[in-house]
Amino acid sequence: MTARVGVITFPGTLDDRDTQRAVRAAGLEAVPLWHRDKDLKQVDAVILPGGFSYGDYLRAGAISRFSPVMDSVIDQAKAGMPVLGICNGFQVLTETHLLPGAMLRNNHLHFICRDQKLRVENAETAWTRSYERGQEINIPLKNIDGRYVADERVLDELEAEGRVVFRYQELNPNGSLRDIAGICNPAGNVVGLMPHPEHAVEPLIGTGRTDGLGFFTSILKRLVSA
C-alpha cells in the first residue's frame, strides 16, 4: 500500500499543486486536504505548503492557525505524525507553537526570490534522512516574512539539542538569527523551513537541480520503515 501524504490548501496557498507533484515524484500518494475540514483522510504525513494564507493579514500564518484542519494536525503531530511546513507553512507552525520562535518581515523590507544555498545541520529528522549532515543543497527561496527570530534561551536550546535543521550559506537573505533556515521539534517529526524544496525536484524547473527531492524521499523512508 502506498504511503499517503496530505497537502493542505488554505485560502491564498500558492504551492499546493507543486507540493503534490513533488510528493508523487518521490513515489508517494498526494492527498489534497481542505482547511475547513478536520478529517485528515487517514494520511501518514502532512505538508503545509507555501503561499500567503489569508493574504497574510494580521501576520503571516496567524489566521490559518485557527483553521479547523489545524486542530487535527496539532493533535497528530503531538502523537508523532510527520509534519512539514514550507515557507508560509513554517509560519503557521510557529503560530501553533508546534515550533518555537516567530517569523518577521525580512530585514531589508523587500520580497526576495532567489536560489539559495543551505547546509544540512540535522539529517536525522523525518524529513531529512536522505541527506547527510554538512551536505550543501541549493533550493529556491521566496518570501517577505522570512526572518526567523527567537530569544537567546530558545536559540541556545535549538543549537544544543541539534534542532537547527538548515542554515543559510554564503548569504543570509532575510536577517534570520544565527542564519537559521529551518528547525524541528524535539522529536524530529515536525520540521519547518523557509526555502521551497518542492521547486527543486525536477531538472526542468526551479534551480534545474533535484536537491529538494530528498525531503520527499526521506519521508518515504520514514513511513516505509515505521
Side-chain angles (χ1 to χ4, degrees):
M1 183 175 178
T2 304
R4 292 158 51 86
V5 178
V7 179
I8 300 175
T9 299
F10 300 97
T13 295
L14 301 178
D15 298 308
D16 44 348
R17 298 294 181 88
D18 289 33
T19 303
Q20 291 172 30
R21 185 177 67 244
V23 167
R24 291 192 293 269
L28 297 147
E29 180 182 352
V31 180
L33 300 175
W34 184 236
H35 72 111
R36 289 184 177 177
D37 300 329
K38 285 194 172 184
D39 183 10
L40 296 183
K41 300 182 180 179
Q42 298 181 320
V43 297
D44 303 296
V46 168
I47 299 176
L48 283 65
F52 300 91
S53 60
Y54 291 94
D56 281 348
Y57 293 123
L58 297 183
R59 62 182 177 273
I63 300 177
S64 295
R65 180 263 175 272
F66 294 101
S67 292
V69 72
M70 290 308 300
D71 290 336
S72 301
V73 171
I74 292 168
D75 288 344
Q76 291 301 310
K78 290 179 178 178
M81 175 182 280
V83 176
L84 176 65
I86 302 170
C87 195
N88 188 239
F90 185 12
Q91 294 159 346
V92 175
L93 292 178
T94 62
E95 290 289 335
T96 63
H97 303 298
L98 285 173
L99 293 176
M103 310 303 303
L104 299 182
R105 186 61 51 100
N106 295 344
N107 61 344
H108 45 73
L109 304 182
H110 295 288
F111 180 84
I112 187 169
C113 182
R114 67 186 306 272
D115 293 345
Q116 179 65 50
K117 182 177 285 188
L118 307 175
R119 185 174 68 237
V120 180
E121 302 282 29
N122 183 339
E124 302 298 326
T125 78
W127 299 93
T128 57
R129 293 183 176 189
S130 291
Y131 299 108
E132 296 181 2
R133 183 179 180 185
Q135 182 177 348
E136 292 188 347
I137 61 175
N138 238 299
I139 59 177
L141 172 79
K142 51 177 185 175
N143 63 67
I144 193 168
D145 295 300
R147 178 162 54 108
Y148 180 74
V149 298
D151 63 38
E152 287 297 312
R153 178 189 60 80
V154 170
L155 293 170
D156 289 343
E157 185 177 271
L158 290 172
E159 300 277 12
E161 295 178 2
R163 292 168 53 197
V164 175
V165 183
F166 298 98
R167 224 180 287 268
Y168 295 117
Q169 295 295 287
E170 297 183 354
L171 169 72
N172 184 326
N174 45 38
S176 291
L177 297 180
R178 304 193 188 183
D179 299 327
I180 290 174
I183 61 173
C184 67
N185 68 339
N189 63 301
V190 179
V191 171
L193 79 161
M194 287 310 297
H196 288 260
E198 78 279 11
H199 295 326
V201 299
E202 297 171 315
L204 294 180
I205 62 171
T207 62
R209 301 168 58 166
T210 58
D211 290 8
L213 187 60
F215 284 80
F216 308 98
T217 58
S218 290
I219 199 59
L220 176 62
K221 292 177 182 179
R222 161 67 182 266
L223 296 176
V224 168
S225 65

